[in-house]
Amino acid sequence: MMKKTRREFIKLAALSGAGIAAAPLAAEASAPITANEEAVGMLYDATLCVGCKACVASCKNVNDMDAAPAPNDADRLWDAPEDLDYRTRNIIKLYKDGEGDFSYVKHQCMHCIKPSCVSACPVAAMQQEKDRGIVFYDKDICIGCRYCQVACPFNIPKFEWPKAFPKIVKCDLCKFTNLKDKGIPACCEVCPTKAVIYGKRDFLLAEAKKRLAENPGKYQKEIYGEFEVGGTNVIYIAGESFSNLGFRELEFDSNAAFSENIQHTIYKGFVAPVALYGFLAFVAIKNRKNHHGHGHGHDAKHEDKHGSEK
Amino acid sequence: MALHREKILTPSFWVLLTFTVIGFYCIGLRYVMGIGAVSNLSDGFPWGIWIAYDVATGTALACGGYALAIVIYIMNGWKYHPLIRSAIVTSLFGYALAGFSVMVDLGRYWNAYSFFMPSRWQVNSVMFEVAVCVMAYNVVLAIELLPAILERFVHSTNPRFPKLKEYARKIYPKLDKVLIFFIVLGITLPTMHQSSLGSMMIIAGSKLNPIWQTGFLPVLFLINAMYIGYSVIIFESTLSSVAFGRPFEKEVRIIAKVVPYLTAAWLIIRFADLYYRGHLSTAFSGDYYSKMFLAETLLIAGGAYMLTWKHFRMSPRWVFVSAVMLCVGGSWYRFSVYIIGFNPDKGWSYFPSLPEFFITLGLVAFEILGYMVLVKMFPIMPNLEGHKKSA
Ligand code: SF4
Ligand code: SF4
Ligand code: SF4
């Protein structure tokens, strides 16, 4: 009896596991991600940025964001954000090392080509425009689960932690404000040195490559965002190494694509779950018949569960 | 019906009630002042113990009903009945706890109805799959439990609710005929969402330490849920033998025999995967993450190893000890995936705040309270005196 049970158990475990186990292997052969031709984004050239923070101010102004006063600002009048948070979609930071090297850097949403936040969101509150590739947020749908925060490789979406009725905050390329009104994101519009420019991704990438080729000594060889997590629509060039500028070294594969592939392999056309259900139902019903045939001596109460005895 | 009329207002009842009240007070605070005011959650660690424990681990600990249903209805010709009802009740309470915590954790809970609007479904989302499966499973569990509730009324000698008795009499046999289809659904759904609870962290990519980040997370979580489920049954059954002065259920030993096979399969996948990805050395490097890995692995392997010996399997005490090791080790693994191994970037860290603990504790206390009351009022526990129904 036990022999049989054990064997069947392993069989079952193998069966239910097999589909899921096969998934990561199958998922590895996923198609490469390519940006849409119409995709728009920004190019930030750290060597041109003078750290005036006009983009920070303008972003707040245009998108109606609260000030983030410094801790010792008793009047709480001045905006002095230390990092991205629910009041700040966009920030300029200064990197400085002992040697006298320094560089400014701007952080905001990278508008990934295959965004993890969109893939993670269970209710489609994080969305991506089909043509332009802009990743934006709809607070009226969001349930505040913060899976987008877990998923984003750049830790971009921010949550209004101190509020009783919070929402998620992130750069949406001024989709509903400056871009809509003036055809250009606020930060790009006000930048006095054109350190950050707006345009189609193809154009921006070509421009970045041109600058690297013209001035190889000035720049790092890498274009950050060209390949990271499958590529982003906001790309960077800089004179300092990107790890110094606060960028994580990231895999070139898109986690979102990998995750979706696994999920789709398991749930493709819902075949596997339905098959599992059918198989289990078949075995269970067969077992019930056998069981009744043998007529085990349970007390009446539990026998009730099987019906027919009545 | 003496068994089902036990005293409810025991000292442990009051202790649990105290924790429940504190917990609900903190929940109140959270709704008035915001999640940030009561928790240590941050933009780097947006998920804390409410998700890692109450949802990701709690539902595994609630997998007793699932694990047992596989044995009873699929593998073993409907044999080990006595345990199934209490296992289903525990599952129901464990999953209800998860649902409850999610409503505490959701920042924009008033939008949660989105899950019932197909136009908002985002089927690429792993969380969507988990949420829908878990909700469906809760319904299925409630249906599976219905016979026990109905029995209470069918056999009721209390003349106060004649209508209820009549209804119960009518529904009971009908429900009985279709119950099997719900039972099977009750096996399919956890298979789906327990594996998806693993998939959930795949999208976190390199934010999750490579010791845990793998495409095999769904399989690992599924098998993990199974052996935790069986261990919980052993744990629960041993505890209730003591608490209710019942004899040690011998079926437990048979279940104990199955666990090492599952655990072995799990460990093989775990190590093969680490080897294949070239992270075996990361796992044994001796740093913080490696220590966490060793702790969970030793608990799991140790607990399972003990169960391979007949000598230990025959002793209620040792079976209990190994069940505890497996539960702790298995839960530890889930914690590692959701919190311990999670490192979003430099400068972020997370340790739960006191109110966070109190909310989780309060919800667990509430769950146990409800369990105790239900078990004492309805015929859930295997019946001891063998009282036949009053025909
Ligand atoms: S950077 Fe983060 S928030 Fe922005 S699109 Fe990518 S995943 Fe989404
Ligand atoms: S927090 Fe909102 S936007 Fe983010 S994943 Fe959850 S529902 Fe989507
Ligand atoms: S694109 Fe708009 S929202 Fe995004 S950083 Fe620039 S100004 Fe802010």
Side-chain angles (χ1 to χ4, degrees):
Chain A
M1 187 68 212
M2 270 325 289
K3 278 258 160 53
K4 181 169 163 262
T5 305
R6 213 180 298 156
R7 204 175 338 112
E8 287 191 0
F9 190 89
I10 293 162
K11 217 163 61 189
L12 183 85
L15 190 101
S16 53
I20 303 165
L25 305 175
E28 247 153 0
S30 61
I33 295 159
T34 42
N36 197 320
E37 262 183 39
E38 296 299 309
V40 294
M42 299 189 283
L43 166 64
Y44 176 79
D45 186 335
T47 65
L48 297 178
C49 179
V50 292
C52 69
K53 299 188 184 175
C55 53
V56 181
S58 177
C59 176
K60 287 214 173 194
N61 193 8
V62 158
N63 296 305
D64 201 18
M65 314 284 291
D66 284 340
N72 51 0
D73 173 10
D75 303 329
R76 310 200 67 69
L77 288 175
W78 310 98
D79 183 37
E82 282 174 32
D83 211 333
L84 295 180
D85 72 1
Y86 64 98
R87 297 160 297 193
T88 310
R89 295 176 174 203
N90 163 33
I91 193 142
I92 296 291
K93 288 188 175 183
L94 171 64
Y95 162 78
K96 225 172 161 178
D97 74 0
E99 251 83 290
D101 279 348
F102 80 99
S103 171
Y104 290 103
V105 65
K106 179 178 185 296
H107 282 292
Q108 76 294 304
C109 174
M110 303 288 288
H111 295 275
C112 306
I113 293 172
K114 176 74 194 162
S116 293
C117 56
V118 172
S119 172
C121 182
V123 292
M126 279 290 174
Q127 292 171 36
Q128 181 177 36
E129 273 186 22
K130 270 208 179 57
D131 44 353
R132 292 190 298 177
I134 296 175
V135 180
F136 63 102
Y137 166 78
D138 184 345
K139 74 169 189 323
D140 294 329
I141 300 175
C142 172
I143 58 171
C145 65
R146 310 186 296 281
Y147 192 21
C148 50
Q149 294 192 288
V150 171
C152 173
F154 303 97
N155 295 305
I156 293 301
K158 303 294 172 188
F159 187 65
E160 292 181 318
W161 295 101
K163 301 204 177 167
F165 303 103
K167 63 176 188 295
I168 294 281
V169 172
K170 77 179 247 325
C171 152
D172 54 12
L173 226 66
C174 293
K175 173 178 161 66
F176 302 105
T177 54
N178 226 59
L179 185 64
K180 195 170 124 215
D181 301 337
K182 300 185 184 170
I184 184 170
C187 52
C188 301
E189 186 191 5
V190 297
C191 182
T193 61
K194 295 282 161 252
V196 59
I197 54 174
Y198 167 81
K200 285 195 180 169
R201 187 181 197 264
D202 293 347
F203 162 77
L204 298 174
L205 198 57
E207 174 66 22
K209 283 182 177 152
K210 197 178 100 203
R211 291 188 199 176
L212 294 199
E214 280 170 2
N215 243 320
K218 191 171 156 196
Y219 291 102
Q220 298 287 318
K221 280 187 192 62
E222 200 189 342
I223 299 173
Y224 194 89
E226 185 176 8
F227 302 114
E228 275 76 11
V229 294
T232 58
N233 285 334
V234 175
I235 53 175
Y236 284 75
I237 48 177
E240 272 297 329
S241 82
F242 286 101
S243 69
N244 283 346
L245 297 181
F247 288 94
R248 278 157 25 101
E249 203 175 301
L250 287 170
E251 53 280 339
F252 283 3
D253 296 322
S254 159
N255 303 319
F258 185 54
S259 163
E260 282 182 19
N261 265 314
I262 289 186
Q263 207 61 358
H264 291 174
T265 313
I266 298 175
Y267 291 106
K268 194 164 189 192
F270 239 65
V271 175
V274 170
L276 178 66
Y277 182 86
F279 170 76
L280 292 175
F282 172 75
V283 178
I285 289 169
K286 204 182 93 197
N287 279 345
R288 178 166 68 170
K289 289 214 184 93
N290 291 344
H291 176 65
H292 280 281
H294 296 180
H296 283 278
H298 286 289
D299 59 86
K301 193 162 66 66
H302 288 298
E303 214 63 55
D304 276 349
K305 251 183 137 180
H306 314 178
S308 57
E309 248 82 359
K310 289 249 185 105
Chain B
M1 306 280 298
L3 187 71
H4 307 129
R5 289 253 176 77
E6 277 179 70
K7 239 180 97 193
I8 288 176
L9 304 177
T10 55
S12 51
F13 176 88
W14 293 111
V15 174
L16 290 168
L17 191 65
T18 311
F19 276 112
T20 308
V21 170
I22 300 176
F24 276 81
Y25 172 73
C26 293
I27 291 176
L29 282 185
R30 169 255 174 274
Y31 280 111
V32 177
M33 294 161 63
I35 299 177
V38 295
S39 75
N40 283 344
L41 294 173
S42 62
D43 287 323
F45 281 89
W47 288 352
I49 51 168
W50 296 338
I51 298 296
Y53 177 75
D54 303 14
V55 179
T57 311
T59 57
L61 292 170
C63 267
Y66 165 61
L68 203 58
I70 297 179
V71 176
I72 293 175
Y73 301 105
I74 304 301
M75 288 159 39
N76 209 31
W78 296 63
K79 247 186 91 194
Y80 315 125
H81 268 162
L83 292 167
I84 188 81
R85 279 191 180 167
S86 58
I88 286 177
V89 177
T90 333
S91 295
L92 187 58
F93 277 88
Y95 273 86
L97 164 84
F100 223 98
S101 313
V102 166
M103 288 313 282
V104 173
D105 186 83
L106 284 187
R108 299 176 67 82
Y109 46 89
W110 61 91
N111 274 343
Y113 70 92
S114 295
F115 280 112
F116 301 104
M117 297 179 60
S119 64
R120 290 186 182 176
W121 290 355
Q122 208 284 88
V123 293
N124 284 336
S125 167
V126 183
M127 181 184 278
F128 170 78
E129 199 270 332
V130 173
V132 170
C133 270
V134 166
M135 285 192 279
Y137 186 48
N138 264 321
V139 175
V140 170
L141 280 171
I143 294 173
E144 285 184 86
L145 198 65
L146 212 50
I149 310 287
L150 289 177
E151 268 171 30
R152 176 83 158 92
F153 293 111
V154 170
H155 305 318
S156 154
T157 44
N158 190 335
R160 261 191 302 165
F161 309 109
K163 266 265 178 299
L164 266 180
K165 183 165 176 163
E166 199 182 303
Y167 283 138
R169 279 234 159 110
K170 263 197 206 128
I171 304 169
Y172 192 85
K174 287 202 185 98
L175 180 65
D176 217 52
K177 287 215 180 67
V178 291
L179 200 60
I180 178 77
F181 294 102
F182 288 102
I183 287 170
V184 176
L185 203 54
I187 299 174
T188 313
L189 289 171
T191 306
M192 292 162 69
H193 67 241
Q194 281 301 329
S195 63
S196 293
L197 275 172
S199 313
M200 199 109 111
M201 294 306 281
I202 287 177
I203 205 164
S206 55
K207 286 160 92 176
L208 179 59
N209 188 286
I211 297 177
W212 292 279
Q213 182 58 280
T214 160
F216 284 92
L217 273 171
V219 212
L220 290 170
F221 263 60
L222 178 61
I223 306 177
N224 174 276
M226 288 182 177
Y227 65 69
I228 291 183
Y230 289 120
S231 306
V232 163
I233 290 170
I234 299 174
F235 177 84
E236 207 188 347
S237 153
T238 322
L239 266 192
S240 73
S241 321
V242 178
F244 296 96
R246 314 164 51 81
F248 183 61
E249 279 140 359
K250 68 172 188 301
E251 289 83 358
V252 161
R253 290 199 198 100
I254 305 172
I255 290 173
K257 236 175 170 175
V258 167
V259 171
Y261 290 94
L262 279 170
T263 320
W266 190 83
L267 287 168
I268 289 169
I269 299 176
R270 190 86 174 87
F271 280 93
D273 167 62
L274 280 171
Y275 172 76
Y276 169 75
R277 287 185 297 113
H279 279 293
L280 215 46
S281 54
T282 320
F284 287 97
S285 68
D287 67 355
Y288 169 74
Y289 294 111
S290 154
K291 281 184 191 134
M292 292 290 144
F293 164 79
L294 290 177
E296 72 195 26
T297 308
L298 284 177
L299 280 167
I300 293 166
Y305 182 70
M306 276 164 60
L307 289 182
T308 59
W309 296 91
K310 196 168 177 203
H311 168 70
F312 287 119
R313 247 184 356 251
M314 287 305 164
S315 147
R317 177 180 304 153
W318 287 110
V319 170
F320 182 76
V321 169
S322 62
V324 170
M325 285 172 73
L326 281 160
C327 285
V328 175
S331 304
W332 197 322
Y333 169 72
R334 287 184 175 232
F335 258 83
S336 295
V337 171
Y338 274 79
I339 294 182
I340 298 171
F342 189 75
N343 180 17
D345 209 348
K346 289 188 282 284
W348 298 105
S349 66
Y350 168 76
F351 192 81
S353 70
L354 221 50
E356 272 180 277
F357 274 119
F358 276 129
I359 287 177
T360 291
L361 264 175
L363 288 177
V364 172
F366 184 57
E367 181 194 358
I368 301 174
L369 261 191
Y371 179 79
M372 276 173 36
V373 172
L374 201 77
V375 162
K376 286 175 180 174
M377 286 176 56
F378 293 99
I380 307 287
M381 285 293 170
N383 103 44
L384 251 195
E385 302 105 293
H387 59 263
K388 308 273 179 229
K389 76 176 150 190
S390 42

